Amino acid sequence: PAEKVPYPDARFDYLVNEHVLEHLPDPLSALLEWRRVLKPRGILFLTLPHPERTFDRFRSVTPIEHLIRDHEQGSQSNEDAHWEDWKTNVIDRGLAPHYESFDKDSSLRSNLIHRHVFTPESAAKILSWAGFEVIHSEDPVRDRFDSFGLIARKS
């Protein structure tokens, strides 16, 4: 699991993460864990889907307050709301027909759905909260037009 990396503290010079954070019930726990396993001044490469260029286009950007609340109350505290938002704004609009056959429980258990929606600005804010400094932003990513990228250094 992204929130429990099986390595000691300060093990890696860098981590690469592509299209994972939006799937997690508690992205802040993952960021804190990734920070833990990075060496001082280690680098985190993040690629995330841009809502304007994906099936998330009718969904609201997840505010940091929502992420902090989920983090403090436990990752399962908001699962019904995550599912309802996904179902209403993605599945019911026919934007992801390849996910229509998955029910709520299996979608949540497998981390299939996008629980959260980020923009470059909102992702930079949560990276700062988790103890990172954004040193580069790219929107869109050159080889993935649906995505933006951030490079952050462990503060």
Side-chain angles (χ1 to χ4, degrees):
E3 305 88 344
K4 295 181 181 177
V5 179
Y7 289 94
D9 295 355
R11 172 74 162 91
F12 298 104
D13 293 313
Y14 65 91
L15 294 174
V16 178
N17 177 294
E18 185 171 354
H19 287 244
V20 172
L21 207 59
E22 69 276 7
H23 292 274
L24 302 176
D26 181 4
L28 298 182
S29 283
L31 287 171
L32 293 172
E33 180 68 354
W34 299 342
R35 186 177 189 284
R36 179 189 69 77
V37 297
L38 281 170
K39 292 178 182 177
R41 302 189 51 78
I43 301 293
L44 176 63
F45 296 88
L46 273 181
T47 304
L48 295 162
H50 197 294
E52 292 176 4
R53 299 187 298 269
T54 66
F55 49 64
D56 289 326
R57 63 183 160 274
F58 295 110
R59 300 177 66 209
S60 297
V61 173
T62 307
I64 192 167
E65 296 80 14
H66 170 112
L67 298 170
I68 292 170
R69 185 177 57 251
D70 284 359
H71 178 69
E72 290 174 348
Q73 294 177 358
S75 62
Q76 301 303 309
S77 66
N78 215 5
E79 290 289 77
D80 288 337
H82 292 153
W83 171 255
E84 286 305 317
D85 179 47
W86 168 262
K87 185 175 179 321
T88 300
N89 293 300
V90 177
I91 298 299
D92 292 351
R93 289 178 182 257
L95 298 175
H98 48 293
Y99 292 129
E100 289 177 3
S101 64
F102 294 93
D103 66 15
K104 175 183 175 180
D105 291 336
S106 63
S107 294
L108 293 171
R109 189 174 47 254
S110 66
N111 291 332
L112 181 71
I113 71 168
H114 288 187
R115 287 177 170 89
H116 305 288
V117 177
F118 302 105
T119 62
E121 298 78 18
S122 72
K125 188 181 278 191
I126 67 168
L127 284 166
S128 177
W129 179 93
F132 290 93
E133 171 195 2
V134 174
I135 58 175
H136 180 74
S137 180
E138 189 170 321
D139 184 22
V141 172
R142 289 179 212 172
D143 63 343
R144 275 207 75 165
F145 181 73
D146 67 341
S147 304
F148 65 91
L150 298 172
I151 301 173
R153 178 180 294 124
K154 179 178 175 177
S155 306

